[in-house]
Amino acid sequence: MRRSAVVAAALVAALGSAVSPATAGTTSVETLTSPGPYSAHSDNATLGPLTCDSSDASGWLYDTGPVAADVGLLSFTNCAMGLMNVELTVPGIPWQVWASGPSPSNPNLYNVTVQGVAVHVEGFGCSFDVDGSLSGLFDNTTDELDFDGDLVVSDAACLGLVNDDDLVHYSATYHVTG
């Protein structure tokens, strides 16, 4: 069963394979070649008890940084928590994707961060929000963005399955094209 949920992850996927340092020795500002639209897809995203068949994101790559991209659309397909079907809505889009790098240990890896991630989950007798920031690594050789972090639950009314202030672990790998 494929797991997916809250992903701001898809958001950050916006980096695509087009990241290069703006100037020699600069690690906090990036220049993106080929600015324009991107798309990202994940079949392995997980968020605590929530599973989805897949997650997709799209947005725009910028030609300068440190804001490397935005996430203009984020969607989830066939989501469930146990046997309960749930719907995910994503308020506050577009989200900005921040990039820095390359990594001193590997010139193909870039650090990415998405702040202000927020997702609302709604099902029969259950609703809650998750929010926070997600960080990850973008691999310029594979065009993949890996996320691994925690988001915080709020406004939980979910039969005790999820409670306010719970940390919900999110991990995902998004393949980026654009």
Side-chain angles (χ1 to χ4, degrees):
M1 195 178 231
R2 307 242 193 271
R3 297 183 162 252
S4 174
V6 109
V7 337
L11 323 171
V12 177
L15 287 177
S17 60
V19 181
S20 62
T23 60
T26 299
T27 61
S28 63
V29 176
E30 301 303 316
T31 298
L32 298 177
T33 57
S34 304
Y38 75 88
S39 62
H41 178 81
S42 177
D43 282 329
N44 73 342
T46 64
L47 178 70
L50 185 63
T51 63
C52 297
D53 287 345
S54 64
S55 177
D56 291 285
S58 62
W60 192 262
L61 295 170
Y62 297 115
D63 60 353
T64 61
V67 176
D70 68 36
V71 178
L73 178 67
L74 178 61
S75 65
F76 302 90
T77 305
N78 298 323
C79 300
M81 189 166 61
L83 298 175
M84 177 183 11
N85 291 331
V86 294
E87 294 292 323
L88 280 68
T89 55
V90 183
I93 282 184
W95 293 328
Q96 292 182 329
V97 178
W98 296 77
S100 65
S103 168
S105 62
N106 183 337
N108 294 312
L109 296 179
Y110 290 80
N111 292 309
V112 293
T113 302
V114 179
Q115 297 176 342
V117 172
V119 175
H120 177 75
V121 179
E122 187 79 37
F124 182 76
C126 177
S127 67
F128 61 95
D129 296 317
V130 293
D131 59 19
S133 296
L134 287 176
S135 296
L137 287 175
F138 179 79
D139 187 328
N140 206 27
T141 60
T142 63
D143 295 336
E144 291 187 347
L145 175 66
D146 288 318
F147 282 103
D148 191 30
D150 293 327
L151 296 167
V152 179
V153 173
S154 63
D155 297 324
C158 195
L159 310 169
L161 298 172
V162 179
N163 300 294
D164 286 350
D165 300 321
D166 283 355
L167 292 180
V168 182
H169 190 74
Y170 181 77
S171 65
T173 300
Y174 282 85
H175 185 74
V176 181
T177 58

